[in-house]
Amino acid sequence: MALNPYYNPARQSPYAQQANPYLAEVELPMEETPVPVYNEFEKGIQRGLGGMGPSIDRTQAAVQGALGFDEAAQANLVEARQAEAYNARPEIAARVQKFSDIGKTGNYLSDAGAWAASSVAENLPLMGSMAALAPLGAAAGALRTGAFVANRAGAAVAGLAPYFVQTTGENSQNILDDPNAQGTLQEKSLGALAGGAAQTALGAVPIGGALSRIAKPGLSLGQRAIQAGGVGMVGEGLTEAGEEATKKFVGQQFSPENPANQLTGKRAWQDYVDAAAGGAL
C-alpha cells in the first residue's frame, strides 16, 4: 500500500464539497520476478558451476584448520555454507537426483533420461576444469626439467587438483557439518584432507587407464576411443563406489553413529550403487 503523491487533502475540488477520501491511498501492483525454468541439462550445469566455489572455500578451510588458523577456517566454512544454500534453490534441483530414484514417478524412460542428462551436465564443469589444467601442468613440468616423466606428472597433478578440491569439500560436509562429530577443528580438517586425497588417488586409476588406451600404438582412432571409453566407464563405476566407501570410513572416525557413515546395510549398498552408476555415466 503506497500513498498517492498527487493527493492533497487541503485542496478543495470545485466539483465536490469534500475531498475524496478514496484518493488518499492507492493500491499499487507488486512486481514479481518470474522464476526461471531450466531443463535438466541446464539445471545440472548450474549446480556444477555453483558447487565449485563452496568446494574451494571448504578446501581452504580444511588447510587453514589443519594449520591451526581456526578463525579463518570458520569464516571460509560460513561462506561455503551460504553458497551451498543458494545452490540448493528449488529451481535447479534435479528432478531425479539418484540412480535409485529412477522409476519412482512411474515413468522409467523419462526418469532415466532426466537422471542421465542432469548427472552428465553436473560433472561437466569439473571435467572441463581438469581438462584445462592438465596441459598447463604438463607444460610447467616440461619447462622445469624437460623430462617426459615430469611432463606427465605435472599434467596428472594439475589435472587432478579440481578433483581433490571437490572430494575434500564432500568430506568436509560429511565431517564438519555433522553436529555429533567428535574431535577438534584441526582433527576434522585433517580428516577432510585425508579423505579427499584418498578419493583422488582412487579416481586417478581409471583416468590413467583410459589415457593409456588412447596412447596405445597400433590402434585406429575409433578403437582407441571405444577402449578408453569402456575402461573409463568400468573403472569409474568401480572406483566411485570405492570412493563412497572411503568417505564413509573417514566420516565414521568422527561420527560412528551417523547412518550416512555406515559401511554396510541397505542404505550403504544403495549409496554404492548410486555412486557406481553416476561414475560409469
Side-chain angles (χ1 to χ4, degrees):
M1 195 75 73
L3 294 177
N4 185 345
Y6 302 105
Y7 173 64
N8 182 358
R11 184 179 61 196
Q12 293 293 326
S13 168
Y15 305 104
Q17 295 298 319
Q18 297 179 351
N20 187 343
Y22 299 104
L23 291 178
E25 294 181 340
V26 176
E27 185 77 24
L28 298 178
M30 296 292 293
E31 292 187 8
E32 294 185 2
T33 303
V35 177
V37 178
Y38 302 106
N39 60 40
E40 291 304 308
F41 190 86
E42 291 170 332
K43 290 179 183 179
I45 292 290
Q46 292 268 359
R47 291 195 307 275
L49 290 172
M52 298 179 81
S55 293
I56 293 172
D57 286 335
R58 283 186 175 275
T59 302
Q60 287 180 322
V63 173
Q64 290 163 337
L67 295 174
F69 300 113
D70 291 7
E71 188 174 343
Q74 292 290 4
N76 271 309
L77 286 173
V78 169
E79 288 187 13
R81 288 164 183 151
Q82 290 173 343
E84 286 161 354
Y86 178 73
N87 205 37
R89 59 195 189 278
E91 60 264 30
I92 64 169
R95 182 166 67 84
V96 182
Q97 296 185 1
K98 301 177 294 184
F99 176 77
S100 55
D101 290 335
I102 293 176
K104 288 185 176 180
T105 64
N107 190 328
Y108 283 87
L109 188 60
S110 175
D111 285 358
W115 170 77
S118 181
S119 299
V120 169
E122 189 168 355
N123 282 321
L124 281 179
L126 173 64
M127 297 296 105
S129 63
M130 293 173 68
L133 288 175
L136 297 178
L143 286 174
R144 184 171 179 81
T145 63
F148 177 67
V149 173
N151 181 290
R152 296 185 66 177
V157 170
L160 289 171
Y163 198 78
F164 171 73
V165 169
Q166 176 178 288
T167 52
T168 299
E170 292 173 359
N171 280 274
S172 170
Q173 278 186 312
N174 194 39
I175 299 170
L176 291 163
D177 289 3
D178 184 348
N180 297 318
Q182 303 168 356
T184 64
L185 177 60
Q186 186 174 48
E187 291 169 341
K188 294 176 184 178
S189 299
L190 287 169
L193 291 170
Q199 287 185 242
T200 302
L202 283 172
V205 175
I207 295 174
L211 290 176
S212 67
R213 293 302 188 281
I214 293 175
K216 189 174 182 179
L219 297 177
S220 67
L221 181 61
Q223 289 174 320
R224 293 181 185 183
I226 292 172
Q227 287 193 15
V231 169
M233 287 179 64
V234 175
E236 272 295 319
L238 293 174
T239 56
E240 280 291 337
E243 288 179 47
E244 182 66 24
T246 300
K247 185 172 70 174
K248 289 178 179 292
F249 175 79
V250 173
Q252 202 174 66
Q253 310 312 303
F254 299 91
S255 186
E257 301 302 322
N258 188 341
N261 294 332
Q262 302 308 307
L263 290 166
T264 58
K266 182 179 179 181
R267 174 174 176 171
W269 288 110
Q270 181 174 298
D271 290 342
Y272 299 147
V273 170
D274 288 334
L281 189 66

